[in-house]
Structure formats: structure tokens, C-alpha cells
Amino acid sequence: MTVMDLKLSVVGCGYLGATHAACMSSLGFTVVGVDTDPEKVAQLQNGILPFYEPGLDTLLAEEMKSGRLSFTTDFSSVANADVHFICVGTPQSKDGLAADLTYVKSAVKAIAPHLKTGSLVVGKSTVPVGTAQSLREELMKIAPEADLAWNPEFLREGFAVEDTLTPNRLVVGVANDLAEEVLKKVYKPILDLGTPWIRADLPTSELVKVAANSFLATKISFINAMAEVCEAAGGDVTVLAKAIGYDPRIGNKFLQAGIGFGGGCLPKDIRAFMARAEELGAKQALEFLREIDAINLRARLRVIDVVRSELSDDLTGRKIAVLGATFKPDSDDVRDSPALDIAAQLNAAGALVTVHDPKGIEPARRRFPLLQYAESINDAVKDSDLVLHLTEWKEYRQIDPVKIASLVKNKIIIDGRNMLDRDLWRKAGWKFRALGRTD
Ligand code: UGA
């Protein structure tokens, strides 16, 4: 049997699963994607991506044509596959900080009766440490000949295809050599590129993922804390970030001060990590993450304070244009988006908020139907008392401040992402304010 004779299944075809299925197919594997949502499956089966991700739409269409990739709601179709990737969501639970493991547990349960001898189930979802071990035990009760490994995913939205096909490392949590061998076969084309391979035990592999996201969240909140101090001391956080970033031990990535992190991963992962540490009796070790979360949420309030100060603390009936709804550019994801949260808070305080976003208007409208939405930047800023730049889409850096000056009522812009060219805007007569910069 050659490596490509291995057949794969991907359980859960959301962001992670759809990307993984299409990318594995592009490596030459036969892949079946399974999901409980018939609408999603129908779209994918027709080669249509249910969300926006640069490059993935074309890859999906190509792979559907290749005949290697298919999608179904029928869990028994995993019976032909040798390796099964679990890619379902682990959202924050409704009644606390912990992760909701319902979908992961039911995914393993749903495929277990169909597994052929020697199958390997590979978890990719982000889970609290200890989950893999208990799922492995459960799985082996139903399918004693199967095994379970964990293979955390580090892909970033906006770079999902690149991060899957050329990741900066592959991490596998395995209970024995055989599971590692199987995974090495699956990832051979990626390993051949020289990608570092890290074998870990099951708990360490689960911890790697949440440790990485916690570190990233910490970096962002660190620079946002520095932004607060800069504001108090008359400094400029963008210059500070640049200066410390030249030290290779610190590095210049993830030091962009602004309205902070959001999305479906960083916020819920640090909270679930705290909840799990408490269960394990290690609460104190992660107390700092509480502060990371608090600094992050404070950044949203700080930008609202700047808006208030510019509008003489009277938001009622004031027209505010919000540029950006998604939690980051090159995505249509509005889950826990700082931009949308700020827009909603301003709206609740009486302002008339109009939101623009290149890709996220429909998902934003579904979440906050009471906000106004504009299809063009010009429509969004028309007659506004103030413009807020909250998601750093390239389109917004290309705005000509001279041209839009004639559309607004007041030439006031607040850069919530520290990405606009301050001099350019000021030259065009705008009052320019940003988080962490007193000038
Ligand atoms: C994050 C991680 O970066 C991925 O490695 C991980 O695989 C993924 O979560 C996951 O767990 O699935 P993602 O959620 O796509 O990826 O977004 P990031 O690029 O990490 O950005 C998160 C947030 O931080 C965004 O709201 C972004 O605007 C904000 N951010 C990022 C800053 O405010 N400042 C920065 O310097 C960098």
C-alpha cells in the first residue's frame, strides 16, 4: 500500500474541517468530509465555500473536480477511511468559562461503530487537557482495534491554506509508535518540505495549543497595557513597539496595539485554559490570563472613551461611521469581534452607527440587526460626526482622506488599529486620534 492509498475522513466541516479536507485532498489523498449540517454539506459538495477564506474557494472547487474529495451527512461513509480527523468546534460553554465538549464527544461516538480495524482517530479541535486520554478510553470501549491521537492545529484565519500546507511545525500527541508512523505517512508531503515534527504525549499536545494561543494573547495585551501607560505618560506605543521588537528575543510580531483580540479562538481558549487549570488545582499558575482578558476588554472601552471625549460626551443622535466589522481582515468572521462589539456599544449609548466591512456585513447583520450597514465606504462616512477605523482591511489604508473629507460632517478619525498614515490624514485637515498615542 502506498502512502496515497491511505483514505481520510474529516469529521466537522466548518472552518478547520473544510480547510483540512480540501488541503489533504490537494496532497493526493481521497477524503470524505462528514458534517451534521445538510445545508453546509450541500454547499461544499457543490464546490461552494460557506465562508470567506482567501484561496480556499478555488482550492475547494479544484479538489471537487479531482474526484478525490466528497462531503456527506452520512457518518457510516467513514467506514472506508483509515485515518479520521476530528475538526468540530469547542465553543465557550453557555454557563461558564469552560469549553463545551458536546460536539467532540458526539463526533467520536458517531464514527466509532463504523471504524475498520487499525483505524486512527486524530483530534484537531482545541480541547482542555485530559480530553484526548478520556476520549481514547471511550473509543476503545466501542472499537478496541482503533487508536486515538491528537494533532493540534495552528492555522490563522486569512492564511488557512498556507498554514495547513506549509505549517511552521507539526505537533502530534500519540500513545504509541504506530500512531506516530501513520501520522508521518499522512503528513509525508509536508514533512518532506523540512517542516519540524514534534512528538508529544497526549496531554502535552493538547497543552501546546492552548499555551501557544495564551502566549499570543499575552503579547497583544502586553502591548495594549503599554498603550495605556503611553497615554498616561504622553508616549507613543507604535514607536515603543517598533523599538522593543528589534530585540529578537521579543520579536516584532503581535505587538500591534489597538482594540485588542477577538475571534473564535484566542478569547475562548484563554478562558477554557483558566477553567481547566482550576479543575486541575493549578488555578494560580494561570491567574495572569484573567488580567490578559481584562486588558483586552478594556481596550474596547478605551476607544469608546476617546469617541466620547471627541463628541463632548454626548452620543445621542450622533452619526458614527465604523470601518470594519470582522475580528480581523481577510475573514468574514465576526465571532467576538472587538469592532462589532464597539459598534454595538456605541449604538446602545444612543449613537447612530453605520458599519462598513468588505466581507463581513451579512454575518454582522445577522448578529446585530439593529445597526445600520453600508455597502460602500462613502455611504458609511456620509454626514458622519466621527469615523472609527476598527478592522485593518487594506481598503481602509487606501482611502484618500482628501476625497472623503467632503462627505463627512466633522473631520475626526480615530484609528483603533494603529494602521493608518497619521501624517496623510492630518495633512488633509483631519483630527487624527489613536490608542496609545498622545500626539
Ligand atoms: C489564532 C492563532 O493565531 C492561530 O495560530 C490559531 O491556530 C487560531 O487562533 C486557532 O486557535 O484556531 P486567528 O484566530 O485566526 O488565529 O487570529 P489571529 O491572527 O491570532 O488574531 C487574533 C486577534 O488578535 C485578532 O482580533 C487581531 O486583530 C488581534 N491582534 C493580532 C491584535 O490586536 N494585535 C496583534 O498584534 C495581532
Side-chain angles (χ1 to χ4, degrees), residues 154-155 157 209 213 254-256 261-262 265 327-328 417:
F154 305 102
L155 69 79
E157 296 194 12
K209 171 64 194 242
N213 275 1
F254 268 63
L255 285 183
Q256 191 70 33
F261 58 82
C265 302
F327 85 104
K328 67 190 265 191
R417 290 293 183 181

Side-chain angles (χ1 to χ4, degrees), residues 156 159 162 168 212 215-224 240-257 266 392:
R156 298 159 296 168
F159 300 89
E162 186 185 322
N168 46 30
F215 194 85
L216 294 171
T218 302
K219 259 192 123 173
I220 300 168
S221 278
F222 173 82
I223 203 63
N224 284 333
L240 182 148
K242 194 170 168 191
I244 63 172
Y246 277 116
D247 183 335
R249 291 170 305 173
I250 296 172
N252 60 9
K253 305 259 168 43
F254 268 63
L255 285 183
Q256 191 70 33
L266 262 46
E392 67 276 31

Side-chain angles (χ1 to χ4, degrees), residues 118-422:
S119 289
L120 181 65
V121 176
V122 184
K124 287 191 83 64
S125 313
T126 303
V127 290
V129 60
T131 306
Q133 186 53 46
S134 69
L135 284 174
R136 186 167 184 266
E137 284 158 18
E138 287 306 308
L139 173 75
M140 287 168 128
K141 278 186 208 156
I142 313 172
E145 302 294 330
D147 194 4
L148 184 137
W150 217 259
N151 169 218
E153 181 55 58
F154 305 102
L155 69 79
R156 298 159 296 168
E157 296 194 12
F159 300 89
V161 175
E162 186 185 322
D163 286 351
T164 304
L165 292 175
T166 52
N168 46 30
R169 78 286 209 192
L170 284 164
V171 178
V172 296
V174 291
N176 54 57
D177 292 344
L178 188 61
E180 183 184 15
E181 255 170 56
V182 173
L183 281 164
K184 274 194 168 160
K185 277 187 194 159
V186 172
Y187 287 126
K188 186 173 183 308
I190 297 174
L191 280 174
D192 286 349
L193 304 171
T195 310
W197 176 264
I198 294 161
R199 173 183 170 155
D201 51 33
L202 290 173
T204 307
S205 69
E206 294 164 308
L207 284 171
V208 168
K209 171 64 194 242
V210 280
N213 275 1
S214 298
F215 194 85
L216 294 171
T218 302
K219 259 192 123 173
I220 300 168
S221 278
F222 173 82
I223 203 63
N224 284 333
M226 293 305 111
E228 289 185 38
V229 179
C230 281
E231 281 164 17
D236 184 330
V237 74
T238 62
V239 178
L240 182 148
K242 194 170 168 191
I244 63 172
Y246 277 116
D247 183 335
R249 291 170 305 173
I250 296 172
N252 60 9
K253 305 259 168 43
F254 268 63
L255 285 183
Q256 191 70 33
I259 57 170
F261 58 82
C265 302
L266 262 46
K268 67 117 173 134
D269 285 355
I270 61 169
R271 292 171 195 155
F273 199 14
M274 281 188 270
R276 184 64 182 134
E278 189 169 350
E279 283 169 9
L280 293 168
K283 181 174 182 220
Q284 212 183 352
L286 297 188
E287 273 298 288
F288 74 97
L289 287 178
R290 212 169 285 281
E291 196 53 39
I292 298 306
D293 203 4
I295 294 168
N296 190 51
L297 295 175
R298 206 153 65 221
R300 303 177 187 186
L301 300 179
R302 282 170 41 234
V303 89
I304 293 173
D305 284 346
V306 182
V307 173
R308 283 189 178 282
S309 75
E310 288 304 324
L311 297 179
S312 319
D313 211 11
D314 178 17
L315 297 181
T316 313
R318 308 302 290 277
K319 287 185 116 178
I320 298 176
V322 166
L323 301 181
T326 53
F327 85 104
K328 67 190 265 191
D330 297 318
S331 164
D332 62 0
D333 196 343
V334 296
R335 282 177 295 170
D336 200 355
S337 164
L340 210 46
D341 184 15
I342 291 161
Q345 289 196 48
L346 289 169
N347 183 66
L352 303 173
V353 180
T354 305
V355 181
H356 174 268
D357 192 278
K359 296 284 176 197
I361 288 187
E362 284 320 311
R365 202 196 299 275
R366 282 196 291 277
R367 196 154 289 215
F368 290 105
L370 294 181
L371 293 172
Q372 298 294 314
Y373 294 92
E375 293 296 331
S376 74
I377 296 172
N378 285 356
D379 285 347
V381 301
K382 201 165 179 302
D383 298 328
S384 61
D385 291 288
L386 185 145
V387 179
L388 265 175
H389 172 244
L390 297 184
T391 311
E392 67 276 31
W393 286 92
K394 198 170 87 213
E395 284 87 335
Y396 301 145
R397 291 197 288 287
Q398 290 165 345
I399 292 174
D400 181 346
V402 177
K403 278 196 185 142
I404 69 159
S406 60
L407 300 174
V408 298
K409 193 154 117 207
N410 294 328
K411 285 185 278 178
I412 306 171
I413 179 139
I414 301 171
D415 185 3
R417 290 293 183 181
N418 276 308
M419 286 295 260
L420 299 177
D421 183 339
R422 182 172 66 178

